[in-house]
Amino acid sequence: MAARTRPRVETVDLGSYQQAVRKVLTCDVITASRPRPGVLDQVLYWADQMAEDLRALFGYTLIATTDHVRLVRELDLLDPTQRQTFARKGKPFDRRRLAYLCLLLAAFQRSQVEISLGDLVRRVTPSANRIEGLGYDPTDSTHKAALVDVVHWLLDRGALHLSDGSVEAWARGGEQGDALFDIDHEICEVLFRPTRPIQHLHSASGLLSDALGQDAPRERAAQRARRLLVEYPVVYYADVEPEVAAALRGRGPAEEVSRLTGTKLERRAEGVLLADASGAFTDRAFPGRGGAVTRTAGLLLAQVANHFEESWAGLARLPAPGAVHEHPELVARIDAGIPQEGIVTELAWAEGERVPRVGEPAPVPLVERERLEDMLADLFEEFGAASFTATWQQDPQGLLDAALALLSDLALVRPVPGGVLVTPAALRYRNIRGALPERPDTGLLPFGPLDQPEAGQNGGGPDGDRPDGGRPGSDRPESDRPDGGAAGTETPSAQSEQPETEGTEETAP
């Protein structure tokens, strides 16, 4: 009964509480300066209440001190789309950077409060060189660049504090180039909090919560349902265990997550999602404003929706396996790289049965690769190749691959040989349309200045009507939001010639 009344916050304070919850769920570590000043104080005000609610509803652990806040999640699935957690300047870490990060954290001695970058590298180098295929060569610029990215990642999260010198000076290799850091051991400790000691694991599945059995308590299934709902853009009934699907269909768990996060719950025949009209409760806003890849992905969805409207009955449909169906294969690939010699066999974790008890994947429409290429060609013709930036205007195939990879990360399509399977959530964006920005009315044509209009004429001069009849793309479509609202208006830069995407802009976390 207690869980059904959560969160136990007065209505007048609910908005402030929901903002604090969203910050904790979307920011890996909150400090005095991260993500921005003032957020730590806002979160600490609600820390006790949040710790109780997050533990009861999700099984999460909230670590809150006067200096930092960190949420330790209980994971149900390995999620290959969560790469932005380990990234710098929007570029996810590769395997080398992830390995260097682990080695750097392992090199910090508890008794040491400061260390120079040079000493840190000398301490890490032997460990890196003992790992086949990794190594560290100070003369290799790619190795140095990887180490610099990792150090900046630790600086951003407050695990290290620069007290003297410069990381960039060290990277340039000058004789005096070095950097001195203060080590915050408390943050280093909360950055790496595995469910079980990794020396006791034969499989990556040991880092996950225990699988649901047929006799699992109802509240465990409800917790799993809440976790999936808050961690994934959309949860389809066909992709989860029957107990989890029953919890999502019933009243209670999904409504609690909606009230906790301040998002709008949407139920459809296929599944459930949380819609966030602000676009802030997410690690990747879509469509919004973005580069050529984001715009292309949004416009492709509109093209796909038009294709469905014209030929829905004749579409080929194939089963679309979800994350739960693909999870055993993903675990097997990771386990193939685990070194067995480092495992403490006497204390090793015994893996239980983890075969997912889910039904067959639901069939969804297939869009062939050739048709996607034709859609992109139509967009190039409509907006011009230059609208897709110099990076992509000569590489439409690469742009298509990047756009489909983005849509796959957002669970809007699922790649298959020969094309993509389009999930039901993708049709939420069917009203997206391109909008070219307005050029300033300077009274000039491309071939020279306009003739001055004669007196009494309503010409195209500064006081006349615009010859182009108004801003292109200003006739915005109505949003397909369930509440009938319209998406927010965007004002593109007058100098940009790149198409923006307009239409439904609700974002699922």
Side-chain angles (χ1 to χ4, degrees):
M1 181 175 179
R4 294 177 184 172
T5 61
R6 296 184 186 277
R8 298 169 181 166
V9 178
E10 297 294 333
T11 304
V12 67
D13 296 323
L14 188 58
S16 174
Y17 179 74
Q18 290 168 341
Q19 288 182 8
V21 169
R22 289 197 292 265
K23 290 299 181 187
V24 167
L25 289 172
T26 55
C27 189
D28 52 354
V29 178
I30 297 175
T31 64
S33 59
R34 178 182 170 84
R36 61 178 181 273
V39 172
L40 180 62
D41 292 337
Q42 178 191 12
V43 170
L44 289 177
Y45 180 82
W46 294 105
D48 293 340
Q49 179 69 49
M50 269 195 295
E52 182 180 346
D53 289 337
L54 292 170
R55 181 175 59 253
L57 296 178
F58 304 99
Y60 292 165
T61 300
L62 185 69
I63 301 174
T65 71
T66 56
D67 299 320
H68 62 266
V69 173
R70 165 79 161 157
L71 182 65
V72 181
R73 287 170 158 85
E74 185 168 342
L75 302 178
D76 298 287
L77 300 170
L78 298 176
D79 186 359
T81 69
Q82 298 296 320
R83 294 186 292 271
Q84 291 299 323
T85 301
F86 300 97
R88 183 172 179 237
K89 296 181 178 179
K91 184 178 181 180
F93 280 7
D94 55 13
R95 296 172 65 184
R96 177 175 300 278
R97 285 165 172 78
L98 290 172
Y100 284 169
L101 174 59
C102 294
L103 292 177
L104 284 179
L105 288 172
F108 297 146
Q109 296 181 359
R110 192 68 180 174
S111 61
Q112 195 169 11
V113 296
E114 67 177 14
I115 190 171
S116 70
L117 183 52
D119 289 340
L120 188 58
V121 172
R122 283 188 286 272
R123 189 176 295 177
V124 166
T125 298
S127 299
N129 289 334
R130 283 196 296 269
I131 300 175
E132 184 179 357
L134 181 62
Y136 178 78
D137 183 356
T139 64
D140 191 324
S141 61
T142 60
H143 291 192
K144 266 195 170 184
L147 197 62
V148 167
D149 286 343
V150 171
V151 169
H152 278 290
W153 189 91
L154 293 169
L155 286 169
D156 291 342
R157 283 149 184 81
L160 296 176
H161 299 276
L162 184 65
S163 58
D164 192 20
S166 166
V167 178
E168 284 69 24
W170 172 85
R172 288 193 296 268
E175 294 183 0
Q176 304 299 323
D178 205 347
L180 185 65
F181 304 113
D182 296 326
I183 305 172
D184 190 324
H185 290 284
E186 289 188 1
I187 291 186
C188 291
E189 181 180 352
V190 300
L191 283 177
F192 184 67
R193 291 287 297 268
T195 307
R196 299 177 176 91
I198 58 175
Q199 297 89 344
H200 299 173
L201 300 180
H202 288 286
S203 171
S205 59
L207 299 173
L208 307 175
S209 62
D210 294 331
L212 287 177
Q214 293 185 356
D215 56 348
R218 180 177 298 180
E219 181 54 30
R220 278 202 60 209
Q223 280 192 341
R224 180 175 171 89
R226 298 186 195 102
R227 289 194 296 263
L228 293 175
L229 189 57
V230 81
E231 298 290 350
Y232 289 85
V234 60
V235 182
Y236 297 105
Y237 299 135
D239 293 345
V240 295
E241 296 89 339
E243 299 87 350
V244 177
L248 291 171
R249 284 191 173 100
R251 295 191 61 83
E255 284 77 8
E256 288 164 340
V257 178
S258 174
R259 186 169 188 266
L260 181 77
T261 58
T263 53
K264 182 170 182 175
L265 177 66
E266 291 189 13
R267 279 193 171 93
R268 296 290 186 267
E270 302 87 359
V272 187
L273 64 80
L274 298 177
D276 175 35
S278 70
F281 184 41
T282 181
D283 60 346
R284 182 175 293 185
F286 181 81
R289 285 176 172 271
V293 174
T294 302
R295 292 191 300 274
T296 302
L299 294 170
L300 277 176
L301 290 182
Q303 295 268 37
V304 168
N306 290 337
H307 170 57
F308 285 179
E309 290 181 1
E310 295 170 357
S311 54
W312 179 255
L315 295 173
R317 289 171 173 81
L318 297 175
V324 176
H325 299 95
E326 297 174 342
H327 190 256
E329 181 184 352
L330 176 60
V331 171
R333 293 206 311 267
I334 296 174
D335 291 350
I338 295 179
Q340 298 299 315
E341 64 272 10
I343 298 174
V344 183
T345 307
E346 296 79 6
L347 301 175
W349 168 74
E351 182 180 10
E353 181 66 30
R354 278 192 170 270
V355 178
R357 297 181 300 104
V358 294
E360 290 297 320
V364 297
L366 169 70
V367 179
E368 299 82 359
R369 174 75 185 201
E370 294 78 6
R371 189 175 298 276
L372 291 169
E373 292 173 354
D374 292 341
M375 292 177 181
L376 185 61
D378 291 341
L379 293 177
F380 266 62
E381 181 179 353
E382 179 179 357
F383 296 105
S387 300
F388 296 90
T389 73
T391 304
W392 300 109
Q393 57 182 309
Q394 301 300 327
D395 185 17
Q397 296 296 323
L399 177 58
L400 180 59
D401 291 338
L404 294 179
L406 171 60
L407 294 175
S408 177
D409 280 353
L410 296 171
L412 298 174
V413 302
R414 291 173 181 169
V416 294
V420 295
L421 300 175
V422 181
T423 64
L427 297 184
R428 287 174 52 82
Y429 301 93
R430 60 186 176 272
N431 286 341
I432 288 180
R433 64 168 58 174
L436 289 174
E438 174 186 343
R439 284 185 175 274
D441 188 3
T442 60
L444 299 177
L445 288 173
F447 305 107
L450 287 171
D451 294 333
Q452 292 297 325
E454 298 179 4
Q457 291 184 350
N458 188 20
D463 297 326
D465 293 337
R466 288 187 49 187
D468 59 359
R471 171 188 166 187
S474 60
D475 185 14
R476 295 175 57 88
E478 288 297 319
S479 167
D480 65 334
R481 289 171 47 185
D483 58 1
T489 303
E490 297 178 0
T491 307
S493 167
Q495 286 75 28
S496 173
E497 286 293 333
Q498 301 168 2
E500 298 291 345
T501 54
E502 295 184 342
T504 303
E505 296 190 12
E506 288 177 333
T507 308

